[in-house]
Amino acid sequence: MGILNVSVLRPAMEAAGSAAASASLHVFDAGSEIMVPLYRDEQLTHLTANPVTASQSGTFPFCYVENGVYCLEVRDTHGRLITRLDDVAVISPFVAEAPHQFASVTELVADLALSYTPGEGRFPVVAGNHVHVTRGQFTYRVLVGTATNHDIQTAGGVRLKALSLVGNDTGAFSPEQFGAAAASKLYEDVVNRRWCLDAALTQPAPDSTAALQACFDAADVIVGGGGHYMVTEVEVSSDTAVHDLYLYERGNSADVQYSPLYIGRDNTFGRTSSPVANIANTRRNILIENVHIHGGRALQTNLSTADGGRYGFRIRGYVDNLTLRDCSANYCATDGIEIHRGVGTNVLATGETDAQIRASNIRVTNCRFDWNRRHGGSGNSMQNVRFEDCSFEYNGLNVDGTWTPRSAGSEATDGKNGILSAGDTYGNGWDMEAGASGSTGGRVVNITFKGCRMRKNVRDSALFFDPVDQAQADFQSRESIFFIDCLLDAGQNNTNGNFALTFTSNITRKDKLPVYRNVQVINCDILGTVTARSVSGFILRGGRMIAAVPANGYGVFDYATGVRISPSESNITYVGSATTADVFPERELVGQAPFAGCSIAAGATLLQTLNVPGVTSDDFVEVVNTSITGASFTHVYVLTARGAGKTTSLQNQIYAVLKNEHGVAKTLGPGCWYWRVTKAPAITEFVSNPAFATGLVAGGNKVIALSGLVVGGKYKLSYATGNHTTGTVTPTLAGTVGTAATATGFYNETLTCGTGTMELRFDAGTGFNGAISDVSLVRVS
């Protein structure tokens, strides 16, 4: 049996809006004119009249029917039809101990019958009763009338707590359980700067932010069901999975920062300003799957502060183990995705350094970040981040597809128009910038873009710009940045030049220590060239490069060492001639070696020997990645036999140095080293580990014995001197003395191999107390 209680009939209303006093309710079998028996009791033993007569207030008494589908007609005292409802389903109310069942959450919220007190037209409930909603199969528990932790409340004042979805994991909820009305689609009303529920643009969409936030706060798993919702900003907690949602950023003309999905902690707009709390409250273990964001950039105006501060996915502060899969964030008023160190974390607490990385272990797969007002994505302060099969295209353009700067009046801060820098549109596919000049807080380690499409933006496919001051004590290079199998170009209106990829320091500090190390561009299709400034170790291998101005060569290599471009054996197709001196063919070995795990004391350094078949002491070796648990706590240096200071020629082995850069002991779990060995037998080359001569003092020297030097051959020598206040360092190659280096920074010169001892030697002059690093010696003729 079921209770016949239809919320739209309680009370019955005349067309003029007044209660239909003494109206009659006729109940028929669906699809017929046969009136059905009605009962006064739930056991269906006492018949009552059909039709049912309403009170003077238009309220019908409760009655019961067999489970089934019915047609309801309400008529006034003259027999005129007031309301007709077809296909009304009535189901037993005692499913899950529910005193009543509703067709939808909207009907439940509008209900006046459920009540904590008995009375005419009321169905009394008590705390602990359950209420069921057939659409979505939602169940609620009745709370006491004074409860404050309720999720929804009926119009009659009954407070209800949503229960997890039947058949799903514990903690699975739908936004609809919390009062969010899911639409099948939203429509953009650009004239009125709003989203609508209908194509005619007459029904404004409701703001579902509060309901979605309540769902996200309660759930471990958010089951979106493909619903479309308009929101301002919803924050995601740790240990949460979000599935199948479409989110639309609400139109706004205020100078505020909102993003549909926010992950992390900082003090923007009242969030915590304590860095210690940020660390303790690291957002971790989050899965976002099949979530699609429309940023509604054409609905946004007054985008002044922080370039508008309206992203799709905004990830700030301390975040660990985040996966985005099969998602999108398009048409956002700033960027599609932002991974940022966070505002509150600029205030350092005990145990932190400015260089401490905030975001770790982020995987983004098969996602789209297109048509955003500034960049497809941006970020800093991150490690172990991988974008695979993603799209970063058409960013920085005006929403009509043009790139013409629009700066008159309010146009510059209107979301329809691409963002401007120095009067020009400038959006990139990906933009990695550290932020404040001199700050060390933008460090990135092990960032990979694989199989990504990064074309048709205003400017570069990817720009890395870091104005860090390398003289700061906590400076660490930005390293291991990989582009593999990507489609890249120099953009549609790149006023900086024909550059598809740019890696650059502050140009006034380019001669200091290298900002970037180990940058590799492998098997990419590049329409344009590259800039590598203040880079140690740049590899361009495989794929195709087509430059608009062939005379420019492969690009600009400015204070860059260890540049390796392999056009012959690795199949680079290039239109034009290469102009860089560090271009030579190479072949390589790749593989992996197991790692058993170890403990490292605070500040200690351990040397690991790796068995690498086929390697000799004449080869250049690098570890390209690891699967070692806890390796983020260390800095990995890889040495050849010579780099380790060995004088004997070892075969089939390389060395890896693990340095614990933290103030406490760390334990590394087992895993694998993944190594690459570059074999260039026709060219004598030496590349040191990043700091092989730390502690070089006045009167001291560092000597590296080198076999294979050719007397009379010309060799390009590059190296960097560490922080020191006085004194000089002078290089000597087999008896040929080079130019004395004075200030801290990068040095490059070409030396002719003499007839003396076959070695490279650095001698420290009076007053010197510093280090030599990033030594590269390559034969050029």
Side-chain angles (χ1 to χ4, degrees):
M1 85 297 292
I3 301 173
L4 191 60
N5 170 32
V6 182
S7 60
V8 297
L9 303 181
R10 305 190 61 82
M13 306 296 291
E14 299 275 14
S18 59
S22 301
S24 58
L25 170 63
H26 303 252
V27 184
F28 304 92
D29 265 331
S32 77
E33 296 184 358
I34 301 175
M35 298 183 71
V36 300
L38 305 180
Y39 301 87
R40 297 195 305 270
D41 63 314
E42 60 192 32
Q43 288 77 27
L44 307 185
T45 57
H46 300 284
L47 288 167
T48 190
N50 184 1
V52 182
T53 302
S55 68
Q56 291 300 305
S57 64
T59 302
F60 293 107
F62 286 110
C63 58
Y64 296 83
V65 294
E66 295 280 358
N67 291 346
V69 181
Y70 300 93
C71 170
L72 310 181
E73 288 185 356
V74 178
R75 296 182 179 273
D76 64 15
T77 54
H78 300 289
R80 291 173 298 199
L81 182 67
I82 297 175
T83 302
R84 177 186 174 95
L85 298 176
D86 292 305
D87 299 325
V88 176
V90 179
I91 306 174
S92 173
F94 296 106
V95 176
E97 302 177 351
H100 196 69
Q101 186 149 315
F102 294 82
S104 67
V105 177
T106 301
E107 181 181 307
L108 171 59
V109 171
D111 179 72
L112 293 167
L114 298 182
S115 174
Y116 291 111
T117 57
E120 182 187 40
R122 295 180 179 178
F123 193 97
V125 294
V126 297
N129 286 154
H130 290 80
V131 177
H132 190 67
V133 173
T134 55
R135 176 181 168 177
Q137 296 298 303
F138 305 146
T139 302
Y140 300 85
R141 184 175 66 251
V142 177
L143 303 178
V144 298
T146 57
T148 59
N149 64 331
H150 56 290
D151 294 318
I152 61 172
Q153 179 173 315
T154 70
V158 175
R159 299 183 176 187
L160 303 170
K161 188 71 175 177
L163 303 182
S164 60
L165 297 175
V166 175
N168 285 278
D169 295 338
T170 301
F173 292 87
S174 164
E176 291 186 79
Q177 291 177 266
F178 298 81
S184 58
K185 184 179 180 181
L186 296 186
Y187 299 86
E188 194 174 26
D189 181 357
V190 177
V191 174
N192 296 300
R193 309 270 185 175
R194 65 182 184 179
W195 292 104
C196 291
L197 298 172
D198 62 319
L201 307 181
T202 60
Q203 303 177 51
D207 190 329
S208 299
T209 301
L212 262 73
Q213 189 62 68
C215 178
F216 276 58
D217 290 343
D220 298 328
V221 179
I222 290 89
V223 182
H228 294 239
Y229 302 93
M230 185 184 77
V231 298
T232 50
E233 181 171 276
V234 180
E235 187 171 348
V236 185
S237 301
S238 294
D239 303 308
T240 298
V242 185
H243 301 276
D244 307 323
L245 275 175
Y246 291 81
L247 302 177
Y248 298 75
E249 178 65 45
R250 188 188 71 174
N252 208 316
S253 60
D255 185 15
V256 295
Q257 297 185 43
Y258 288 125
S259 301
L261 276 190
Y262 179 93
I263 304 168
R265 300 289 284 180
D266 70 0
N267 69 357
T268 304
F269 297 107
R271 298 186 181 92
T272 177
S273 60
S274 167
V276 173
N278 286 343
I279 297 171
N281 291 300
T282 296
R283 293 297 185 254
R284 62 179 79 249
N285 306 327
I286 296 171
L287 169 65
I288 311 291
E289 185 174 45
N290 197 32
V291 173
H292 301 279
I293 293 173
H294 193 306
R297 56 178 286 194
L299 311 182
Q300 316 294 327
T301 58
N302 195 21
L303 298 164
S304 302
T305 303
D307 287 345
R310 297 179 206 177
Y311 303 82
F313 299 96
R314 195 169 199 186
I315 304 159
R316 292 175 74 87
Y318 291 89
V319 176
D320 181 45
N321 193 22
L322 165 67
T323 297
L324 273 69
R325 186 163 57 228
D326 302 326
C327 298
S328 65
N330 302 326
Y331 293 98
C332 297
T334 307
D335 305 337
I337 182 172
E338 179 200 42
I339 306 173
H340 192 277
R341 64 192 306 273
V343 176
T345 56
N346 283 329
V347 183
L348 300 181
T350 302
E352 279 195 278
T353 68
D354 195 37
Q356 187 166 332
I357 291 178
R358 298 334 192 229
S360 301
N361 305 312
I362 297 177
R363 297 163 299 281
V364 184
T365 305
N366 194 32
C367 295
R368 295 185 61 188
F369 307 101
D370 302 336
W371 286 104
N372 298 293
R373 176 173 170 260
R374 192 176 71 169
H375 310 306
S378 63
N380 56 43
S381 191
M382 65 183 80
Q383 63 184 350
N384 302 330
V385 176
R386 183 179 182 90
F387 292 91
E388 187 161 1
D389 297 327
C390 294
S391 171
F392 302 86
E393 296 190 310
Y394 300 100
N395 296 290
L397 298 170
N398 302 319
V399 79
D400 61 7
T402 66
W403 62 75
T404 304
R406 294 172 180 168
S407 57
S410 62
E411 286 188 335
T413 58
D414 192 308
K416 296 192 299 294
N417 302 322
I419 198 166
L420 303 180
S421 174
D424 287 313
T425 48
Y426 78 102
N428 302 301
W430 179 266
D431 189 271
M432 190 80 79
E433 297 192 34
S437 179
S439 168
T440 58
R443 185 172 185 238
V444 297
V445 177
N446 194 21
I447 311 301
T448 299
F449 295 85
K450 186 177 190 303
C452 293
R453 303 172 304 282
M454 310 178 78
R455 289 181 170 174
K456 301 298 183 181
N457 303 289
V458 171
R459 292 192 183 176
D460 297 29
S461 289
L463 168 68
F464 287 69
F465 169 65
D466 200 322
V468 61
D469 183 355
Q470 301 98 306
Q472 293 191 56
D474 61 349
F475 166 72
Q476 298 179 59
S477 59
R478 289 72 172 116
E479 57 191 62
S480 299
I481 301 167
F482 308 102
F483 287 82
I484 304 169
D485 303 329
C486 294
L487 300 179
L488 312 172
D489 73 6
Q492 300 191 47
N493 187 43
N494 196 332
T495 56
N496 288 334
N498 188 42
F499 301 117
L501 289 176
T502 296
F503 299 87
T504 182
S505 65
N506 185 314
I507 199 165
T508 63
R509 290 194 280 266
K510 65 182 181 179
D511 59 340
K512 310 303 180 185
L513 295 174
V515 171
Y516 304 97
R517 301 181 193 273
N518 189 23
V519 177
Q520 301 189 26
V521 183
I522 309 298
N523 293 329
C524 292
D525 192 293
I526 306 173
L527 302 177
T529 60
V530 299
T531 296
R533 178 177 290 114
S534 190
V535 178
S536 176
F538 184 93
I539 294 175
L540 177 62
R541 179 184 296 118
R544 182 179 66 149
M545 174 177 278
I546 300 177
V549 184
N552 290 342
Y554 290 99
V556 174
F557 299 94
D558 187 14
Y559 285 87
T561 64
V563 176
R564 295 167 178 80
I565 300 177
S566 46
S568 36
E569 294 190 23
S570 294
N571 242 2
I572 283 186
T573 301
Y574 178 72
V575 177
S577 60
T579 60
T580 175
D582 283 355
V583 178
F584 55 88
E586 62 188 20
R587 56 192 178 88
E588 66 178 9
L589 301 171
V590 294
Q592 64 186 54
F595 177 74
C598 68
S599 295
I600 310 178
T605 298
L606 292 182
L607 181 69
Q608 297 286 313
T609 301
L610 309 181
N611 293 321
V612 180
V615 69
T616 73
S617 59
D618 291 326
D619 299 325
F620 172 73
V621 186
E622 57 187 334
V623 168
V624 295
N625 206 342
T626 75
S627 62
I628 299 170
T629 303
S632 61
F633 291 116
T634 68
H635 193 84
V636 178
Y637 302 133
V638 183
L639 315 177
T640 63
R642 290 164 295 175
K646 304 295 183 181
T647 57
T648 58
S649 178
L650 296 181
Q651 302 291 321
N652 304 316
Q653 287 186 331
I654 62 174
Y655 302 100
V657 173
L658 296 171
K659 181 181 179 183
N660 183 356
E661 298 176 333
H662 285 242
V664 295
K666 295 293 182 181
T667 299
L668 300 184
C672 276
W673 301 96
Y674 299 94
W675 46 260
R676 175 182 286 120
V677 179
T678 297
K679 303 179 71 64
I683 299 177
T684 301
E685 178 193 11
F686 165 75
V687 178
S688 78
N689 65 299
F692 81 102
T694 300
L696 188 59
V697 298
N701 58 63
K702 178 68 177 181
V703 178
I704 306 102
L706 298 175
S707 60
L709 291 176
V710 177
V711 174
K714 294 187 181 300
Y715 293 81
K716 182 176 180 179
L717 172 64
S718 301
Y719 63 96
T721 61
N723 294 330
H724 65 283
T725 56
T726 61
T728 61
V729 171
T730 304
T732 301
L733 179 65
T736 299
V737 180
T739 303
T742 54
T744 298
F746 254 127
Y747 288 89
N748 295 273
E749 65 177 307
T750 299
L751 297 175
T752 300
C753 180
T755 58
T757 304
M758 295 293 105
E759 65 184 19
L760 174 63
R761 177 188 182 103
F762 291 91
D763 292 288
T766 303
F768 184 85
N769 187 354
I772 302 295
S773 66
D774 299 281
V775 179
S776 173
L777 182 71
V778 178
R779 184 180 175 187
V780 293
S781 64

